[in-house]
Structures are given as structure tokens and as C-alpha cells.
Amino acid sequence: MKWTEILRAPMIPADAKRTKQITFQTTENYLILDVWRGGNNTCRHAINLKTWEYGTYYPDTGIKQATNINSCTDNYERSQWDYRLKEKEWLTPEQIRKLDSLTREKKDWVKDVLQRIERMETDYNAEKREQARNSKEERIRRLMSKCPRPGKKVYDWITEQMVGDLQYAFYDKQKKTCHCTACGGNFPEEAAGIPVKHRKQITCPLCGHTLTVDKRADLLIVATDWLTMIHNVDDKQGVERHFKVKVEWDRYGTRTTELEEHIRLMMLRNTAKNIMKVYYYGSDYWPGWSTGNNSSRRWHSAYLYPDTEGIQAGLHGTAYQVWTDVFPMLAQMGIKAHYNGLMGESNREFTGIAEYMAKGRFYRLLDELSQCITYWGGYSGSTIDVSGESVEEILQIEDKQLINRLRQADGGMCMLRWLQWSDLNKKKLSEQYISWAEKNKIDPDNYLRSEAKQYLTPEQLMNYINRQKKESYPSRTIAGVWNQYEDYLSIAKELGKHMDDALVHRPRELKRRHDEVNAEMELRREEIQRKRNAREAARQAQEMRDKYPGYEDILSEISEKFEYQNDTYCIVVPRDFMEITAEGMALHHCVGNTERYFDRIVSRETYICFLRQQESPDKPFYTIEVEPGGTIRQHRGAYDEEPGIEEIKPFLREWQKVIRKRMSKQDHEYAAQSEILRQKNIEELKAKNNTVVLKGLAEDLMEVI
């Protein structure tokens, strides 16, 4: 924007009668629009008539910025339902004609001249963004082209590291032949000279190569791993490259190796702002290199290609050059590690630890340590003392025999932590236990936080968990069985069991005992809840006696007529409010929480009865609201559900007949009055159009047949 030309143009005043107006003029290169509001010039907006680049000058502040016409006219003040600029609000008819002639060559299908300008500015922004994106992509393409494709030596080296000389003989069951992936030839089964068995080795009679027989694979056998390469790019940067490696053995072909590059980290030189920049290669949906990780690429533990000169040249002068001597050594030794993670700890202290572990033959420990480094916090663990000056201090183990044991087993972080525990507690751990703990990812912290540590040593725990998995939990993982055991111990302790007794803390049948203590705990919780409900019910009972005097006498009076039982069910009449409320709390419905049922008892409109199962007569099952004549208005179970109601109804019909036989003359009068009140209640609900309640009452209603 040529601001000198723009600001030199004279100010064209607005019409004093208008509250807002845009005046405009043209110069050699620009269309200049002055925005007026309330007689004040709020800004000058300029548009290049050739490129449609635009900008706005604010005279009050002297600020110049790329504000479009929509914003510099404070368009946000307009209604969100009609946000477009309108020429008639800002321009006179004469101004509209002149501005239309200036802009008609562009977007002539947009009739409103201000909206036309707004549209052209939007298109200019889109073109500018596209140009910037294309320019960025071109810069990335030029930079990425400086990284050559890996040569044959790289392919051969990584294949040797991953699979060595491994070749397969694919067996064809129908033809009784074998296919050699070393030479690509086929030969009959008997030509092998020995029985051809799965996973056994034979010699190819065609090329003499040793082959591993595979009788189960369909088309391919695939091995995958990761490769890291470090080399120089130019005088401004080196690069760390990360490849996914696939070695494939084809049933109808030979062995091939593929490298699929995922990430490139450019290690920048002589920059104060950034020390590196990361580029990711997209998947099939986002092919090509970019700074955005749309395909969720990740760094992995990998082999480092042993190009000593390339590694040193790539690291030289970057923030990672402290690894100049160590990385080539690790690469020559063929050590797998999370090299990008190690670069996150680019200090002499950590490079010394990595070098020491490599020379001390703690290969797996180095690999797992490198995976514990985060980019934002480095290594913050406590398993390794990176400031230690001796092997004992670094590994935090005093017993050198344990250190040698770690080295000989090529143990990782889990084994190290268990050996630290062994050294601290002066207790031996078998090779079997260490292997079991590593396989099942069991850490000393898991053991120290467990209930089991109070009763079993680690070895005893392993044996116990293995036996229970075999006998009681064959489908569960070791961790899942341990969780069951922890759950059992916790519940047994809460129940007050004698935990010192081995039969308690180490039951022979864990699953059975686990289920038993769970059932016992559930009964205890139910009992606690019943007592809590009973206390609350007792408090409310007195209030209800005061409010509805005589209702308890009525319940006592009807018990002889309404109580009934057979071999499966029984009907019980509650004695007081406390029993009714406890029933409502236990079944989680409204009985006991509303006073209308007590009002109906006192007026002898309906009574409340409990339906119980004979096998558990004290356990709430169903609550029944019944009229004096035996008509059942409601039957509700827990949470207002009705489990097995069709099986229960024959008993309820039988009970209704018994009630009818026991009724007195007075009871018949109560029944007639109750029916009248029921019909009245239904009419009121219909008048209120309360269809939900009406439907529920209709479903529950059981009139006496």
C-alpha cells in the first residue's frame, strides 16, 4: 500500500444531514473511501484498483492496518439476521451510480456496490492465502528435495539388523511343494530330504539357503521396525529422519524391504528463535510433507544408521551437537533407542549416561530409558540417577551381583526396579518371578500399594495368582486376577475377618470366597440401609399419628380380613407409618413419601398392603393399594416397575375372592363409596388431560370378578 499517495488525497466532506455516509475519490492507483459517522471521519479505506489489495487508516490513532470494508464501517453493529452492507445506508443515488461504474468490471453480478467491494476484498484475501500456501509448499518441497532417498546400503543394513539372513519356505498343501523366498524357486516336498514341518528348518535344494518352513501364512509374512537416519542438509541445518521399515516374504516371490518415511526434524543452526522444525509426511489422504501432523505420526524406538560422518555433520553446530560422539558409537553397535527422545536431553550429563549404558551392555535399559524422556520435561523419573558417578549410584543398587544379573539378562526398567527392591529389602527374587513381573507389567509400586503385600511375598503372590488364574479365572489376565484378589482382601478386612489366618487371606478357591464376601457385604449394606430407613420412618411416624389419628387402628382392624398366603406369596398388612415408609424407601417409590395414602386409609377409601415372597417374607417385593371391596388400584415393585406381574396376578385374583368372603355389611358400604371416589378421581384426571397417570391407573386396575 502506497500510504503517501493515499493520505495526500484531500478529504471530501460528508453531507451534514446524514448520520453516516461514505465519500469517495480515485487517485492514480487507488479508490479511496472516507467513512463518516455523526459528522466525524472515523477512517479512510483504500483499495488498489488493479490488485484489490486494501487497507484502512484511522486518523484518531494513526494506525494503518488491513481492515476490510465490512469491519471499518462497524458492520458488527447491525442485526445478526441482516449482516450485509447496504449501499443505500451509506451512499446517495448519485454516489451509487459513480461507484458502480468504477467497480462494474469486477463481480458485476453483485448488484450492491458496497457488497461488491466486500466480495472482491474477500476474494483478494483468499487468493493471498492461496499464494502464501503455495509459496510455503514450494519452500517445503525445495527443502525436502535436499534429503536424498536412502540407497541400497541402507536397505541392506536395516534388513540385516532386523531379520538377518532369515528366509522362508512357503508350503503348498495341494501341490506338496515349497516356495523358497531366497531364490524364488519351487521344489517338491521330498526334495528337502527331511520331513517338512511348520517352523522347522530345511535347506533349499535349488540355492542351498537355509529356510524356515511356514505352513500357515496365506500370502505374506511381514516384520516391521523403525529406522533413524541423521545427516547434513546444508549450511543452515541438519536433519533427523524417521522411517517405518517393512520386511515382507511373499508366498509367490522373494523377500523385499520397504522404507516409508514419516518424520523429518530439521536441526537449525545459527538461529536465536528456533532450534528445530518438524515436518510430517501425510497418509494417502494428505500426501506430501507439511508442518501439520494430520496423520498423527509419532517417533519410535529405532535403529540408527551408522553413517559416522553424516551423523557428525548433521549434528554439528546445532543444539544437539553434544551427541556428536555418542550417536555414531550407538549406531555402530546396532543399538535400538528412542534417538529423538535422547535428543530431548542434549546435555553432557545425559550423554555420559547413554555412553556408559552402551559400553556397559545395558542395551535394553538404555532403550527403555530413552522412551521415558518427554520434550517438555526431559527425564523426570527416579529409577536412574543421572547425576550418579558410579554404576552403583546410577542404578541405585549396592550389590554388584545384582548389577551383573541385570547386564546378563539385558533387563529393562521393570527388572531394574525389582532388583532395586531386592537390594533395599535384602530379599532374593527368582528369574522366574522377574520374567513374570516383566511379562505382566507388574512394578514394585503395584506391590507396595497392594493389600497383598501384608500377607504374601512377591514370589508367593506370583504362585498364588498363577494358580487362581488356572483354576478359577482362566479367561482373565494376571492383572485382572490380582484385582479380584485385592477386592477380596479389601472386603474381607472391612467385614472384620481374621486376616492373620492363612485360610482367610489366601483362600484356596478365590472366586468362590470372593463371591461369598461380596454377598455378605451386600447383606450388610442392605441392613445398614434398612436401619437408616427405619430411623427416618420412626421420626416421621409420630408426625403422621398427630396428623392422621386413628389410621394405625384401622390397619390393625383390617389385618385379619386382608392378610392371606399360599405356598408362593403372602399378603401382609402394615401396622404403622414406620413400616409403610420403610417399604417406600426400600422399593424407591412414592408410598410413605406422600400423605394422600394416609388420607385414604383414614377415610377408608383404600388400604395399603405388602405382597411378599414366601422364600423371603421380610424383604419388600410389591406394594398394593386395595379398596375395601378388594379392587386393586395399584401394584408397584422397586422403582415403580412390575417384575413378573403376570405370574403374580393369579395369586392376586385368589386373594380378592378371599377378601369378598370376609367382608361385612359395613365393608360393602365402604367399597361402594370407594368406587364412587375412584370414578370421581378418574373424571378429574380426564378433565386435566393427564393421560400418563390415567394410562398407569388403567394398567394397574384389577376389579373384583
Side-chain angles (χ1 to χ4, degrees), residues 327-341:
F327 274 6
M329 180 196 71
L330 300 180
Q332 293 294 340
M333 296 175 71
I335 293 176
K336 277 189 70 174
H338 197 295
Y339 287 96
N340 187 260

Side-chain angles (χ1 to χ4, degrees), residues 159-177:
T159 304
E160 178 66 25
Q161 293 297 313
M162 286 177 58
V163 299
D165 205 24
L166 177 64
Q167 295 286 0
Y168 284 97
F170 285 95
Y171 182 74
D172 190 319
K173 295 179 182 179
Q174 294 180 344
K175 297 180 180 179
K176 306 292 183 182
T177 60

